[in-house]
Structure formats: structure tokens, C-alpha cells
Amino acid sequence: MNFNLQSMNPSSSFVATRDQALSVFNHPFSQSHSFLVSNFKNGSFLSPINTHTRRPKTHTSFTTPKRFQPITGCLGERNTPAKALRQILESPGAHQGPACFDGLSAKLVERAGFQYCFTSGFSISAARLGLPDTGFISYGEMVDQGQQITQAVSIPVIGDGDNGYGNAMNVKRTVKGYIRAGFAGIILEDQVSPKACGHTQGRKVVSREEAVMRIKAAVDARKESGSDIVIVARTDSRQALSLEESLWRSRAFADAGADVLFIDALSSKEEMKAFCEVSPLVPKMANMLEGGGKTPILAPLELEEIGYKLVAYPLSLIGVSIRAMQDSLTALNGGRIPPPGSMPSFEEIKEILGFNNYYEEEKRYATSKYQLYADRDGSRDPFSGIWSRTLRIKITGRDGFEKLDVRVPAGFLEGITNIVPALGGVNLKALLDDAAEEVGGKVLLDFNDTMGDRIQVFLE
């Protein structure tokens, strides 16, 4: 049973944990999860209502991805990643979440408009170690990679916590580490160590008792941390044992306090429907393993009809990255560069990585005048003010492709020749002296070097 706790002032809200709600109502919940609480501070509430009653199925309830916008709670605090994820779980529709593996891939997911994303142990093991997802990667490496990912984006990220990296005590440490790393949620599974990748051979699971105890330990770790991280309980027992066993474990995980349930490698649409009928108040997660997994690939609308809330796509980004790199290396090995249509331009890459935002922010701290050199009598060298200006150096190859486009402080003359040796014989200081008092940009140089490359220098 879940309760929607509303105050007389519904304009601001935050998501409370099960323990906060229990402390108010002292009610023996067995499958409660997230609570929408308004004006929790002054304690004025309306009567409780059930918030997890299944909504009527309608194709119009599927929501297209959109960028997460931070929301302010009742005390003015910034929305946390976990609260943002819980708001997604409470919203209508089936929500797609691609799996990322580093800061760049996570940033691309956010730029594409998705509300949240996952981390994939499979992809992180591949990208970081160049090794298969068979238990090689460690807790420390996953936390380190996860922190880089969560810091790169503003959308909530669900972290792959594997099997918790040990017993129940290790699970608690893992959950607390993922909370500190900034994750909104964590996926915990019931495999033995070393674990096997989903949809592959050789998967084995721990006993029922140990599997349930891992989830209880995760719930305790969340409570001890004062966090509201979303716990996604995964069982691999469908492939290791049977469908019936996986359904039993899912019910037990819900009773232990899991927020989202996930059975990996369900083999038919009928099995997926049977899973979604288990603990119907608890959101379900589907894993659409691209390229030949055991679970049928269904459209988001169809998954919503079945009863799923979260939809993971674990291999799309790492898979297309591998193929793109292979194609590029084939081209380079044949004496060609990748065709323009197969990769973004240098300008697009800089925009994606935030160069332009950096340049704009950098202007806030630029000084109008900076005294670099001074005579003994204290008079200012007229050239010193040039440090407040920027030189843009652009090199275009004779084949028309851009080779270089950088900006450096205009006073950094000695270092410029290290960047572009062809400028070694040019008296840049004289050119800068002539242009020092000019307002706006000016072309200082525009010539072709001995290799046929066009070199341009602009004063901005």
C-alpha cells in the first residue's frame, strides 16, 4: 500500500522515504515505496490515498523523452537525483533509458532529451578494461566511473551494482558508495561471484534467503545514509532455475523493500506479462538487449501495455561505438580519413564537449587591462593590455579539411610558435602593437605555408 500525502499547499513537493511516511502514520507497510509529500514541515496533511493503482492503459500515456528540469522542494532544497527518478516512476508512460559507459556517452544521452539513463557493467568493463563482463571489474572501478558519469549530466542515473560485490555487508558498502557517487538508483542482482553477464551462459544464483537478505541490506544502507536512492532488485533465476523461481523472488524482493523489480532474460511476451502481474503496485523494468538477446524486443507502447515502467537499452551506445571505430580504423588503414558524413565536424565536437560554454563563461573573468610589463618608473608597457585580447589560430589543409582552430591569450607569443612552427619567422608583436587599440576583431595574418595549408590568425 502507498499513500499520497498532500498538504494544504500543493505548490511545492518532495519525495519522502518509506521510513518518513511510516513515522507519520505508523502503518505496517510491506510493499510501500515512494511518497509525494507536500509541506512536510508543518505537518498538515489530507487523508491518504493510494498512488500506485494501475492507470488505464492508453497509447497516449507514453511520454517521449525530455530533459530533466530540477524541481525545488517544500523547504527550497534542490531536487536530488533520487527524487527526480521517483518523479519519473510516478509519471505516466513507459520511460526509455539508454545505458551509458562514460561521461561523454552520458552527456549524449542527456543532449538527446532522455529523462534518465543507466550505467552498463557490460559496457564499462568493455570501455574501461577492454574485458568481458565476467566479474573482472571491481567495485572501486565501477564507483569511480559512475562518479564521472553522474558529474557529467543533470539527469538521474541508475547505476549497475552487479551482485553487490560480496555478502550483505559488501552490499551495504556498495549502496553507500553509489549514493556518494551521485547515483539516483542502483541495480542489485542475485548472482554468485564471479558473476556472468545477462543473457549469457553459466549464470548461477545464490539461495533465496541470501538473495532477499541482499535487498534488505540495501534498504538498511539507504536508511543509514539518509538517502532515498531507488533500489532496483534484479533476479537472474529465470535463466538459472525457472520462471516460477524468478516470480517468487520478485515478490520477496518487493516485500523486502525494493522500489523496482527486474527479471532478466524473460523469453516470451507471455512471461513478461506474468512478471508484471507480480506485486502490481511495484514498478517493473524491462531490458531490451539489442542484437540477439533472449527477451523479445518490443516497442515502448507495447511494453507500457504489458505493465512496464522503465525500459533499458544496454548495448546501443557501446555497440554502435565499436562499429564506428572499426569502420574509421579500416579507412585510416587504407590511407583515407573517415568520410565527413560518418563523424561530426570539429565544431560540432567542440559544442558537444562544452568548449563554447567554456569560452562564454571564461569571458566573465577576463580583465580589461593587465599590466604584464612595467618600466622602472612605473609606466605601463602598451603591449601589456593585449593580454585581455584573444588570438584565434586557424589552419585549413589544402584538402579543405580543418586541421586546427584554437584560441590563446594574445600575449602568449612565445608559446604560439610551439603550436604553429610556421609562425616562427613572423613578428607577431609588431602586428599586435599596431592592432592593440582597435576595437573588435581583426585579421592579422592570412597566408599559405610551404605545405599548401592556409594559416589564418585573428585578433578577437
Coordinates of all heavy atoms in Angstrom, one line a residue, residues 175-232:
V175 N 26.0 0.1 -1.8 CA 24.9 1.1 -1.8 C 25.4 2.5 -1.3 O 25.1 3.5 -2.0 CB 23.7 0.6 -1.0 CG1 22.6 1.7 -0.9 CG2 23.1 -0.6 -1.7
K176 N 26.1 2.5 -0.2 CA 26.5 3.8 0.3 C 27.5 4.5 -0.6 O 27.5 5.7 -0.8 CB 27.1 3.6 1.7 CG 26.1 3.1 2.8 CD 26.8 2.9 4.1 CE 25.7 2.5 5.2 NZ 26.4 2.2 6.5
G177 N 28.4 3.7 -1.3 CA 29.3 4.2 -2.2 C 28.6 4.8 -3.4 O 29.0 5.9 -3.9
Y178 N 27.6 4.1 -3.9 CA 26.9 4.6 -5.1 C 26.1 5.9 -4.7 O 25.9 6.8 -5.5 CB 25.9 3.5 -5.6 CG 26.6 2.6 -6.6 CD1 27.8 2.0 -6.3 CD2 26.0 2.2 -7.8 CE1 28.4 1.1 -7.1 CE2 26.6 1.3 -8.6 CZ 27.8 0.8 -8.3 OH 28.4 -0.1 -9.2
I179 N 25.6 6.0 -3.5 CA 24.9 7.2 -3.0 C 25.9 8.4 -3.1 O 25.6 9.4 -3.6 CB 24.3 7.0 -1.6 CG1 23.2 6.0 -1.7 CG2 23.9 8.3 -1.0 CD1 22.7 5.6 -0.3
R180 N 27.1 8.2 -2.5 CA 28.1 9.2 -2.5 C 28.5 9.6 -3.9 O 28.9 10.8 -4.2 CB 29.3 8.8 -1.7 CG 29.1 8.7 -0.2 CD 30.4 8.6 0.6 NE 31.0 7.3 0.3 CZ 30.8 6.2 1.0 NH1 29.9 6.2 2.0 NH2 31.4 5.1 0.6
A181 N 28.5 8.7 -4.8 CA 28.9 8.9 -6.2 C 27.9 9.7 -7.0 O 28.1 10.1 -8.1 CB 29.2 7.6 -6.9
G182 N 26.7 9.9 -6.4 CA 25.6 10.7 -7.0 C 24.6 9.9 -7.8 O 23.8 10.5 -8.6
F183 N 24.5 8.6 -7.7 CA 23.6 7.8 -8.4 C 22.1 8.1 -7.9 O 22.0 8.3 -6.7 CB 23.9 6.3 -8.3 CG 25.0 5.9 -9.2 CD1 26.2 5.6 -8.8 CD2 24.7 5.8 -10.6 CE1 27.2 5.1 -9.6 CE2 25.7 5.4 -11.5 CZ 27.0 5.0 -11.0
A184 N 21.2 8.0 -8.7 CA 19.8 8.1 -8.4 C 19.2 6.8 -8.0 O 18.2 6.7 -7.2 CB 18.9 8.7 -9.5
G185 N 19.7 5.7 -8.6 CA 19.3 4.4 -8.3 C 20.4 3.4 -8.4 O 21.5 3.7 -9.0
I186 N 20.2 2.2 -8.0 CA 21.2 1.1 -8.1 C 20.5 -0.2 -8.4 O 19.4 -0.5 -7.8 CB 22.0 1.0 -6.8 CG1 23.1 -0.1 -6.9 CG2 21.1 0.8 -5.6 CD1 24.1 -0.1 -5.8
I187 N 21.0 -1.0 -9.3 CA 20.5 -2.3 -9.7 C 21.4 -3.3 -8.9 O 22.6 -3.3 -9.0 CB 20.6 -2.5 -11.2 CG1 19.8 -1.5 -11.9 CG2 20.0 -3.9 -11.5 CD1 20.0 -1.5 -13.4
L188 N 20.7 -4.2 -8.2 CA 21.4 -5.3 -7.4 C 20.8 -6.6 -7.9 O 19.6 -6.8 -7.9 CB 21.2 -5.1 -5.9 CG 21.9 -3.8 -5.4 CD1 21.5 -3.6 -4.0 CD2 23.5 -4.0 -5.4
E189 N 21.7 -7.6 -8.1 CA 21.2 -8.9 -8.6 C 21.6 -10.0 -7.7 O 22.3 -9.8 -6.7 CB 21.9 -9.1 -10.0 CG 23.4 -9.2 -10.0 CD 24.0 -9.0 -11.3 OE1 23.6 -8.1 -12.1 OE2 25.0 -9.8 -11.6
D190 N 21.1 -11.2 -8.0 CA 21.2 -12.3 -7.1 C 22.2 -13.4 -7.6 O 22.1 -14.5 -7.2 CB 19.9 -12.9 -6.7 CG 19.1 -13.4 -8.0 OD1 19.6 -13.2 -9.1 OD2 18.0 -14.0 -7.9
Q191 N 23.1 -13.0 -8.4 CA 24.1 -13.9 -8.9 C 25.2 -14.2 -7.9 O 25.4 -13.5 -7.0 CB 24.8 -13.4 -10.2 CG 23.9 -13.4 -11.4 CD 24.7 -13.3 -12.7 OE1 25.6 -14.1 -13.0 NE2 24.4 -12.3 -13.5
V192 N 25.9 -15.4 -8.1 CA 27.0 -15.7 -7.3 C 28.2 -14.9 -7.8 O 28.2 -14.3 -8.9 CB 27.3 -17.2 -7.4 CG1 26.1 -18.0 -6.9 CG2 27.6 -17.7 -8.8
S193 N 29.3 -15.1 -7.1 CA 30.6 -14.5 -7.6 C 31.5 -15.6 -8.1 O 31.6 -16.6 -7.4 CB 31.3 -13.7 -6.5 OG 30.5 -12.6 -6.1
P194 N 32.3 -15.4 -9.2 CA 32.1 -14.3 -10.1 C 30.8 -14.4 -10.9 O 30.4 -15.5 -11.2 CB 33.4 -14.4 -11.0 CG 33.7 -15.9 -11.0 CD 33.3 -16.4 -9.6
K195 N 30.3 -13.2 -11.2 CA 29.0 -13.2 -11.9 C 29.2 -13.4 -13.4 O 30.3 -13.3 -13.9 CB 28.3 -11.8 -11.7 CG 29.2 -10.6 -12.1 CD 28.3 -9.4 -12.4 CE 27.6 -9.7 -13.8 NZ 26.7 -8.6 -14.1
A196 N 28.1 -13.6 -14.1 CA 28.1 -13.7 -15.5 C 27.2 -12.6 -16.1 O 26.3 -12.2 -15.5 CB 27.6 -15.1 -16.0
C197 N 27.5 -12.2 -17.3 CA 26.7 -11.2 -18.0 C 25.3 -11.8 -18.3 O 25.2 -13.0 -18.6 CB 27.4 -10.8 -19.3 SG 26.4 -9.6 -20.3
G198 N 24.3 -10.9 -18.2 CA 23.0 -11.3 -18.6 C 22.9 -11.9 -20.0 O 23.6 -11.4 -20.9
H199 N 22.0 -12.8 -20.2 CA 21.7 -13.4 -21.5 C 22.9 -14.3 -22.0 O 23.0 -14.6 -23.2 CB 21.4 -12.4 -22.5 CG 20.1 -11.6 -22.2 ND1 18.9 -11.8 -22.9 CD2 19.9 -10.7 -21.3 CE1 18.0 -11.0 -22.4 NE2 18.5 -10.3 -21.4
T200 N 23.9 -14.6 -21.1 CA 25.0 -15.5 -21.5 C 24.9 -16.7 -20.7 O 24.1 -16.9 -19.7 CB 26.3 -14.8 -21.2 OG1 26.5 -14.5 -19.8 CG2 26.4 -13.5 -22.0
Q201 N 25.8 -17.7 -21.0 CA 25.7 -19.0 -20.4 C 26.4 -18.9 -19.0 O 27.2 -18.1 -18.7 CB 26.4 -20.0 -21.3 CG 27.9 -19.7 -21.5 CD 28.5 -20.7 -22.5 OE1 27.8 -21.5 -23.2 NE2 29.8 -20.8 -22.6
G202 N 26.1 -19.9 -18.2 CA 26.8 -20.1 -17.0 C 26.4 -19.3 -15.8 O 27.1 -19.2 -14.8
R203 N 25.2 -18.7 -15.9 CA 24.7 -17.9 -14.8 C 24.2 -18.8 -13.6 O 23.5 -19.8 -13.8 CB 23.6 -17.0 -15.2 CG 24.1 -15.8 -15.9 CD 23.0 -14.7 -16.0 NE 22.0 -15.0 -17.0 CZ 21.0 -14.2 -17.3 NH1 20.8 -13.1 -16.6 NH2 20.1 -14.6 -18.2
K204 N 24.6 -18.5 -12.4 CA 24.2 -19.2 -11.2 C 23.7 -18.1 -10.2 O 24.3 -17.0 -10.1 CB 25.3 -20.0 -10.6 CG 25.8 -21.1 -11.6 CD 27.0 -21.9 -11.0 CE 27.4 -23.0 -11.9 NZ 28.6 -23.7 -11.3
V205 N 22.8 -18.5 -9.4 CA 22.3 -17.5 -8.4 C 22.4 -18.1 -7.0 O 22.6 -19.3 -6.8 CB 20.8 -17.2 -8.6 CG1 20.6 -16.5 -9.9 CG2 19.9 -18.5 -8.6
V206 N 22.5 -17.2 -6.0 CA 22.6 -17.5 -4.6 C 21.2 -18.1 -4.1 O 20.2 -18.0 -4.9 CB 23.0 -16.3 -3.7 CG1 24.4 -15.9 -4.2 CG2 22.0 -15.2 -3.8
S207 N 21.1 -18.6 -2.9 CA 19.9 -19.1 -2.4 C 18.8 -18.0 -2.2 O 19.2 -16.8 -2.2 CB 20.2 -19.7 -1.0 OG 20.5 -18.7 -0.1
R208 N 17.6 -18.4 -2.1 CA 16.5 -17.4 -1.8 C 16.8 -16.5 -0.7 O 16.7 -15.3 -0.7 CB 15.2 -18.2 -1.6 CG 14.6 -18.8 -2.8 CD 13.3 -19.5 -2.4 NE 12.5 -20.0 -3.5 CZ 11.3 -20.5 -3.4 NH1 10.7 -20.6 -2.2 NH2 10.6 -20.9 -4.5
E209 N 17.2 -17.1 0.4 CA 17.5 -16.4 1.7 C 18.5 -15.3 1.5 O 18.4 -14.2 1.9 CB 17.9 -17.3 2.8 CG 16.8 -18.3 3.2 CD 16.5 -19.5 2.3 OE1 17.4 -19.7 1.4 OE2 15.5 -20.1 2.4
E210 N 19.7 -15.7 0.8 CA 20.7 -14.7 0.6 C 20.3 -13.6 -0.3 O 20.7 -12.5 -0.2 CB 22.0 -15.4 0.1 CG 23.2 -14.5 0.0 CD 24.5 -15.2 -0.4 OE1 24.5 -16.5 -0.4 OE2 25.4 -14.5 -0.7
A211 N 19.5 -14.0 -1.3 CA 19.1 -13.0 -2.3 C 18.2 -12.0 -1.6 O 18.4 -10.8 -1.9 CB 18.3 -13.7 -3.4
V212 N 17.3 -12.4 -0.8 CA 16.4 -11.5 -0.1 C 17.2 -10.6 0.9 O 17.0 -9.4 1.0 CB 15.3 -12.2 0.6 CG1 14.4 -11.3 1.5 CG2 14.4 -12.9 -0.4
M213 N 18.2 -11.3 1.5 CA 19.0 -10.5 2.5 C 19.8 -9.4 1.9 O 20.0 -8.4 2.5 CB 19.9 -11.5 3.3 CG 20.3 -11.0 4.6 SD 18.9 -10.6 5.7 CE 18.2 -12.3 5.9
R214 N 20.2 -9.6 0.6 CA 20.9 -8.5 0.0 C 20.0 -7.3 -0.2 O 20.5 -6.2 0.0 CB 21.4 -9.0 -1.4 CG 22.5 -10.0 -1.4 CD 22.9 -10.4 -2.8 NE 24.0 -11.4 -2.8 CZ 24.5 -11.9 -3.9 NH1 24.1 -11.6 -5.1 NH2 25.6 -12.8 -3.8
I215 N 18.8 -7.5 -0.6 CA 17.9 -6.4 -0.7 C 17.6 -5.7 0.6 O 17.6 -4.5 0.7 CB 16.6 -6.8 -1.4 CG1 16.9 -7.5 -2.8 CG2 15.6 -5.6 -1.6 CD1 17.6 -6.6 -3.7
K216 N 17.4 -6.5 1.7 CA 17.2 -5.9 3.0 C 18.4 -5.1 3.4 O 18.3 -4.0 4.0 CB 16.9 -7.0 4.0 CG 15.5 -7.7 3.8 CD 15.3 -8.7 4.9 CE 13.9 -9.3 4.8 NZ 13.6 -10.3 5.8
A217 N 19.6 -5.6 3.1 CA 20.8 -4.9 3.5 C 20.9 -3.6 2.7 O 21.3 -2.5 3.2 CB 22.1 -5.7 3.2
A218 N 20.5 -3.6 1.4 CA 20.5 -2.4 0.6 C 19.5 -1.3 1.2 O 19.8 -0.1 1.3 CB 20.1 -2.7 -0.8
V219 N 18.3 -1.8 1.6 CA 17.3 -0.9 2.2 C 17.9 -0.3 3.5 O 17.7 0.9 3.8 CB 16.0 -1.7 2.5 CG1 15.1 -0.8 3.3 CG2 15.4 -2.1 1.2
D220 N 18.6 -1.1 4.3 CA 19.2 -0.6 5.6 C 20.3 0.4 5.3 O 20.4 1.4 6.0 CB 19.8 -1.8 6.4 CG 18.7 -2.7 7.0 OD1 17.5 -2.2 7.1 OD2 19.0 -3.8 7.4
A221 N 21.1 0.2 4.3 CA 22.1 1.1 3.9 C 21.5 2.4 3.5 O 22.1 3.5 3.8 CB 23.0 0.5 2.8
R222 N 20.4 2.4 2.7 CA 19.8 3.6 2.3 C 19.3 4.4 3.5 O 19.5 5.6 3.6 CB 18.6 3.3 1.4 CG 17.7 4.5 1.0 CD 16.7 4.1 0.0 NE 15.7 3.1 0.5 CZ 14.8 2.5 -0.2 NH1 14.7 2.8 -1.5 NH2 13.9 1.7 0.3
K223 N 18.7 3.7 4.5 CA 18.2 4.4 5.7 C 19.3 5.0 6.5 O 19.2 6.1 6.9 CB 17.4 3.4 6.5 CG 16.8 3.9 7.8 CD 16.1 2.9 8.6 CE 15.5 3.4 9.9 NZ 14.8 2.4 10.7
E224 N 20.4 4.2 6.6 CA 21.5 4.7 7.4 C 22.2 5.9 6.8 O 22.8 6.8 7.5 CB 22.5 3.6 7.6 CG 22.0 2.4 8.5 CD 23.0 1.2 8.4 OE1 24.0 1.3 7.8 OE2 22.6 0.1 8.9
S225 N 22.1 6.0 5.5 CA 22.7 7.1 4.7 C 21.8 8.4 4.7 O 22.2 9.4 4.2 CB 23.1 6.7 3.3 OG 24.0 5.6 3.3
G226 N 20.5 8.2 5.1 CA 19.6 9.3 5.0 C 19.3 9.6 3.5 O 18.9 10.8 3.2
S227 N 19.4 8.6 2.7 CA 19.2 8.8 1.2 C 17.8 8.3 0.8 O 17.1 7.6 1.6 CB 20.3 8.1 0.5 OG 20.0 8.0 -0.9
D228 N 17.4 8.5 -0.4 CA 16.2 8.0 -1.0 C 16.6 7.3 -2.3 O 15.7 7.3 -3.2 CB 15.2 9.1 -1.2 CG 13.8 8.5 -1.3 OD1 13.5 7.4 -0.8 OD2 12.9 9.1 -1.9
I229 N 17.8 6.8 -2.4 CA 18.2 6.1 -3.7 C 17.2 5.0 -4.0 O 16.7 4.3 -3.1 CB 19.6 5.5 -3.5 CG1 20.1 5.1 -4.9 CG2 19.7 4.4 -2.5 CD1 21.6 4.7 -4.9
V230 N 16.9 4.9 -5.3 CA 15.9 3.9 -5.8 C 16.6 2.5 -5.9 O 17.7 2.4 -6.6 CB 15.3 4.3 -7.1 CG1 14.5 3.2 -7.7 CG2 14.5 5.6 -6.9
I231 N 16.1 1.5 -5.3 CA 16.7 0.2 -5.3 C 15.9 -0.7 -6.3 O 14.7 -0.9 -6.2 CB 16.6 -0.5 -3.9 CG1 17.4 0.3 -2.9 CG2 17.1 -1.9 -4.0 CD1 17.3 -0.1 -1.5
V232 N 16.7 -1.1 -7.3 CA 16.1 -1.9 -8.4 C 16.6 -3.4 -8.1 O 17.8 -3.6 -8.2 CB 16.6 -1.5 -9.8 CG1 16.0 -2.4 -10.9 CG2 16.2 0.0 -10.0

